[in-house]
Amino acid sequence: MIKGIIFDFDGLIFDTETHQYHILQEMFGEHGSELPLALWQNEIGTDSGFSPFHYMEEQIGKPVEHALLAEKYDEKFLSTLSLEKARDGVEDYLQMAKKLELKIGLASSSSYRWVSGHLKNLDLYDYFHCIRTSDHVEKVKPDPALYIQAAQCLELHPEECLVFEDSAHGAMAAKRAGMGCVIVPNKVTHTMDFCEVEHRLDSMADMPLKDLIEYVSSLKADR
C-alpha cells in the first residue's frame, strides 16, 4: 500500500534543467562551440564534477575567463527562473496527496538552500513533511541514500513510497532504494535511457494522482 510520495526537485517540480541547458548552449554558441545534450544529460540529477567551461576550453582550444562566464551564466539563469512556475500538475498532485493523507517528501541532489528557496518562492514549501538534499548525504543520486533517508524521515518502508523523477540517475536511485517510480521527463531528459519503472507521464496534468496510485498499486498486486 502506498502511504507516501517522494518528489525530486530540479526538472521535476521546477524545470531548472531545460533553462540551464539552453543558457549554456547559447553561451557555447557565442564562443563558436556546442555542448552536446547527451554529454550534459550525464550531469542531470547527479553531481559528476563536470565543468562546462573546462569543456568549452577543450573544444575551442584556448582558455576562457571562468569567473566572468560563471557570473554571466548565474545572472541569466536566475533571471529566467524568476519568471518560471512549477511544472503543470505539480500543485494538483500535492493538493491531492494532502487530501488522501499521504506523507509527502522530497529528495534532491541539489543543496537545501537551493531547493527550499525555490519551494518558498513557488509557495509549495509547506506541503512537504520532509526534505532531504545533498547536504544530508555523502553520495547523491544515483546512490539510493537520499531516498532511503527520505523514507526514514517519513517513517515509511521503501515499498510504501512512490517516487516521482525526471532523470535517469534519479529513477535509478529510487529503484535501488526499493521504491516504485514514475518518471515525468522534461524537454532535456525525455531522451534519456531510463531503467525499468512503474509508469511514464509527459506531465502530471495527464493523469490524476489518485488514478496513478491505483494503477501502480494494481501492478504491485499482480506481482
Side-chain angles (χ1 to χ4, degrees):
M1 182 178 178
I2 295 170
K3 297 181 179 180
I5 57 176
I6 306 176
F7 290 80
D8 173 49
F9 179 68
D10 288 286
L12 187 279
I13 289 177
F14 194 41
D15 193 6
T16 58
E17 293 167 352
T18 298
H19 293 301
Q20 191 174 27
Y21 178 66
H22 287 165
I23 290 168
L24 284 171
Q25 267 289 55
E26 182 181 316
M27 294 176 71
F28 268 70
E30 290 170 356
H31 287 77
S33 185
E34 182 181 0
L35 178 61
L37 178 57
L39 180 64
W40 183 244
Q41 285 176 336
N42 293 329
E43 176 68 14
I44 295 175
T46 187
D47 182 9
S48 68
F50 173 74
S51 168
F53 301 133
H54 279 108
Y55 179 78
M56 180 188 288
E57 287 179 328
E58 293 173 7
Q59 298 309 298
I60 64 177
K62 60 183 179 181
V64 297
E65 295 187 42
H66 288 239
L68 188 63
L69 288 176
E71 183 179 351
K72 182 178 179 181
Y73 164 78
D74 287 343
E75 184 179 334
K76 284 189 174 184
F77 190 36
L78 295 176
S79 175
T80 301
L81 292 185
S82 68
L83 304 174
E84 187 71 16
K85 298 179 180 179
R87 286 184 67 187
D88 289 346
V90 168
E91 190 160 11
D92 289 340
Y93 267 40
L94 291 169
Q95 289 174 351
M96 180 54 69
K98 189 175 180 180
K99 187 175 180 180
L100 295 172
E101 298 183 345
L102 296 171
K103 294 183 177 180
I104 307 172
L106 186 148
S108 171
S109 294
S110 296
S111 70
Y112 181 82
R113 182 179 178 183
W114 174 263
V115 172
S116 61
H118 285 298
L119 285 176
K120 289 172 183 176
N121 289 338
L122 295 167
D123 202 24
L124 299 177
Y125 182 84
D126 291 337
Y127 282 105
F128 294 90
H129 302 113
C130 177
I131 295 173
R132 287 294 179 267
T133 67
S134 59
D135 298 324
H136 299 97
V137 295
E138 291 184 9
K139 294 181 179 179
V140 295
K141 306 169 190 177
D143 190 277
L146 278 164
Y147 282 116
I148 291 170
Q149 282 203 24
Q152 290 172 342
C153 178
L154 294 174
E155 298 183 336
L156 295 175
H157 297 294
E159 61 271 18
E160 295 175 320
C161 300
L162 180 62
V163 168
F164 291 89
E165 268 288 353
D166 71 289
S167 75
H169 289 124
M172 181 63 71
K175 299 307 293 183
R176 286 176 174 173
M179 300 178 183
C181 182
V182 173
I183 56 170
V184 193
N186 57 55
K187 292 178 182 178
V188 297
T189 64
H190 75 280
T191 58
M192 281 183 158
D193 185 16
F194 287 89
C195 62
E196 185 176 349
V197 295
E198 276 62 29
H199 197 53
R200 176 175 181 142
L201 295 171
D202 291 326
S203 167
M204 292 183 200
D206 291 346
M207 187 176 191
L209 177 63
K210 188 174 181 180
D211 293 349
L212 180 61
I213 287 176
E214 288 176 357
Y215 172 73
V216 172
S217 297
S218 71
L219 293 179
K220 291 186 176 184
D222 292 339
R223 289 172 182 168

